[in-house]
Amino acid sequence: MSMWSKNASWAADGELFIAGISATTLASEFGTPLFVLDEDDFRSNARRFIDAFEEAFGAGKVSVYYAGKAFLSASVIKWLEEDGLNLDVCTGGELAVAKLAKFPPSRIEFHGNNKSVAEIEEALDYGVEYIAIDSFVEISRVEKAAATRGMIQKVIIRTTPGIEAHTHEFIATAHEDVKFGFSIASGAALEAARQVRGSTHLDLQGLHAHIGSQIFDTDGYELAAKRIIELLATIRDESNLELPLLDLGGGFGIAYLAGESALDPATVAKKMCAVISSACEAHGLKVPHISIEPGRAIVGPSMATLYEVGTTKSVTLENGGSRAYIAVDGGMSDNIRPAIYDAEYTVVLANRRSTAALQPSRVVGKHCESGDIIIKNVDLPSDIAPGDLLATPVTGAYGRSMASNYNHISRPPVVAVSDGKARIIVRRETHEDLLRLENMEG
Ligand SMILES: *Cc1c(COP(=O)(O)O)cnc(C)c1O
């Protein structure tokens, strides 16, 4: 099945194994809910982007920035470093993890539409290579921080090229009417470029756009690239300055359900390269260095969540049919995407094979909220009972990273598996962790 990580397999008795370790072993050793990260899958997804874009644009002409917000931990950052990736962070907290892992600052880009002065200062002090400027307010903030330090900071400008990527409304980010960046159409992006060029402490290196998430149609990237290249030409005409960098963001779509297919990095890379080359040629520009920022497409498919079934019940529906409610020991605190984006996932019985008839089922969590639904409609064996294990694939992106402590639940650990070995890379939160925030003198 396409949505499982590459080292997922099923034993003859129906049990799920990931990188050679059974679901039962993982659950008994580390508890549930549990994020299981297939290290080899993560690393090969990352390499696929490097290989595909280097193949299209040439070695040394592309940088792949892993979008840390999808899932970040010090261990993952070590893999990125070893495998030749760069890192995109968008808060001081994400930067703190990068610092903990001693990730080279020369390979970090800092995003965000409302970076605080403190965050900007931390980024500059660490030596972050690029700050992605997102607003006029920020131009003066970054300039001031750089001036105080007597340095020149490299920056790129986040533009909104006015493209409605064909994706879920809530996760599209490049309409004009969005909080991110400077619109190209209104002239704001050009004005931002002028202001940045006017600063002695800022060094304008390039333009950026991130047109959305879960994109399956390469036309969006191609149109964005064309519009940005027009702006590069306008900037060159005005100032004789050819910016060396073009960053096309992330958003590469992946499969969550059987029958869906992911956007192939090699296909996008080839198409982008053709469009960029011809647009640059038309404007008499050299093809700039290309950056991309995949998050979901690298980590999404590499993780699955293991849950233990706690309670089950059956309800009679208005149409006379019935539905099983299968409650697991996690829920919206470890997977908020169904609640906020109507995102769909699938699930399998992970500890055994069942020959029982399938029945319409709903997998729900343990939170005090009717909307705490992980999978709204799925057919599952009618003999699923307390103690069974369920596994949801493709939870790597925005699962653990958007996890919450709602209902004072402890956020699940992440266990990396590789060659039959499992190790905790982010441990389970404990009640002590939660209670540490209490001020008993308050
Ligand atoms: C969210 C984001 C990404 C990553 O998006 P994915 O859909 O996870 O690939 C990349 N760049 C920026 C600026 C983002 O905001």
Side-chain angles (χ1 to χ4, degrees):
M1 281 190 266
S2 67
M3 62 273 184
W4 292 89
S5 68
K6 64 191 272 215
N7 299 296
S9 61
W10 279 264
D13 65 359
E15 172 143 33
L16 168 66
F17 280 67
I18 302 179
I21 312 179
S22 73
T24 309
T25 305
L26 288 165
S28 67
E29 208 165 307
F30 303 105
T32 51
L34 178 67
F35 286 104
V36 184
L37 169 56
D38 185 336
E39 174 178 347
D40 173 36
D41 189 80
F42 179 101
R43 298 178 83 150
S44 57
N45 294 342
R47 279 296 330 167
R48 268 181 79 208
F49 275 96
I50 298 184
D51 293 345
F53 278 78
E54 285 193 343
E55 169 80 29
F57 288 91
K61 305 204 159 148
V62 209
S63 300
V64 179
Y65 285 82
Y66 170 67
K69 70 181 189 199
F71 171 69
L72 203 59
S73 84
S75 305
V76 160
I77 290 176
K78 288 282 177 210
W79 305 343
L80 299 174
E81 186 181 352
E82 286 169 24
D83 296 347
L85 278 97
N86 305 283
L87 177 65
D88 148 12
V89 297
C90 59
T91 63
E94 290 179 359
L95 180 64
V97 187
K99 283 158 91 170
L100 179 71
K102 301 194 166 56
F103 192 77
S106 61
R107 284 159 64 179
I108 300 179
E109 190 179 86
F110 200 115
H111 274 288
N113 70 302
N114 182 18
K115 307 171 194 75
S116 69
V117 170
E119 286 174 322
I120 291 167
E121 289 176 347
E122 278 167 40
L124 267 52
D125 288 338
Y126 191 52
V128 159
E129 187 79 356
Y130 300 112
I131 304 280
I133 299 271
D134 207 293
S135 68
F136 288 110
V137 176
E138 203 169 87
I139 296 176
S140 42
R141 276 189 196 156
V142 179
E143 168 164 39
K144 189 164 171 224
T148 310
R149 285 160 180 73
M151 62 183 282
I152 297 172
Q153 175 64 44
K154 287 186 191 165
V155 302
I156 56 177
I157 288 176
R158 178 162 184 167
T159 69
T160 48
I163 287 147
E164 202 177 323
H166 296 283
T167 180
H168 197 292
E169 191 188 356
F170 298 122
I171 46 182
T173 55
H175 315 282
E176 300 286 319
D177 191 12
V178 290
K179 71 173 187 169
F180 292 108
F182 298 93
S183 98
I184 293 182
S186 70
L190 181 60
E191 176 55 25
R194 286 185 190 129
Q195 289 190 18
V196 170
R197 274 192 288 108
S199 159
T200 45
H201 292 280
L202 302 179
D203 175 11
L204 182 58
Q205 287 281 310
L207 303 178
H208 169 278
H210 170 72
I211 58 169
S213 267
Q214 272 299 71
I215 297 167
F216 293 97
D217 183 349
T218 54
D219 294 355
Y221 290 114
E222 293 172 23
L223 189 54
K226 274 192 201 155
R227 291 190 179 164
I228 297 175
I229 289 165
E230 269 169 36
L231 180 56
L232 287 174
T234 309
I235 293 170
R236 187 264 329 265
D237 295 344
E238 253 192 33
S239 63
N240 238 346
L241 176 69
E242 253 190 75
L243 300 181
L245 182 65
L246 169 55
D247 187 332
L248 287 166
F252 306 92
I254 60 170
Y256 281 92
L257 303 175
E260 293 179 348
S261 52
L263 190 60
D264 172 37
T267 309
V268 199
K270 265 189 227 123
K271 288 191 176 173
M272 270 187 189
C273 184
V275 166
I276 290 170
S277 307
S278 73
C280 285
E281 200 184 316
H283 290 288
L285 291 164
K286 280 203 294 287
V287 172
H289 187 89
I290 301 298
S291 295
I292 52 163
E293 303 164 342
R296 182 193 313 269
I298 292 176
V299 71
S302 70
M303 270 198 235
T305 308
L306 272 184
Y307 298 106
E308 186 178 307
V309 175
T311 60
T312 61
K313 73 165 187 178
S314 178
V315 300
T316 305
L317 303 175
E318 271 174 27
N319 65 11
S322 70
R323 172 170 14 247
Y325 272 82
I326 299 172
V328 296
D329 47 2
M332 64 195 303
S333 54
D334 57 73
N335 192 352
I336 191 68
R337 296 188 64 256
I340 60 177
Y341 305 129
D342 285 328
E344 291 186 271
Y345 288 83
T346 185
V347 69
V348 297
L349 178 59
N351 55 315
R352 63 185 174 94
R353 172 170 302 124
S354 166
T355 52
L358 297 178
Q359 65 178 347
S361 305
R362 183 163 285 175
V363 178
V364 298
K366 64 177 286 159
H367 294 279
C368 296
E369 174 90 32
S370 307
D372 176 25
I373 295 169
I374 301 171
I375 295 142
K376 206 165 185 178
N377 294 306
V378 59
D379 287 334
L380 287 173
S382 56
D383 65 348
I384 287 182
D388 273 329
L389 298 175
L390 299 185
T392 302
V394 209
T395 54
Y398 309 102
R400 183 59 179 74
S401 73
M402 285 188 174
S404 78
N405 291 119
Y406 180 43
N407 291 141
H408 271 61
I409 214 161
S410 302
R411 288 175 298 174
V414 180
V415 164
V417 291
S418 168
D419 289 331
K421 292 194 193 70
R423 60 192 201 282
I424 293 172
I425 60 168
V426 178
R427 72 161 168 81
R428 186 181 301 283
E429 258 175 346
T430 61
H431 286 170
E432 290 77 75
D433 290 326
L434 299 176
L435 299 182
R436 198 148 42 203
L437 305 181
E438 297 292 336
N439 177 9
M440 293 303 290
E441 270 84 59

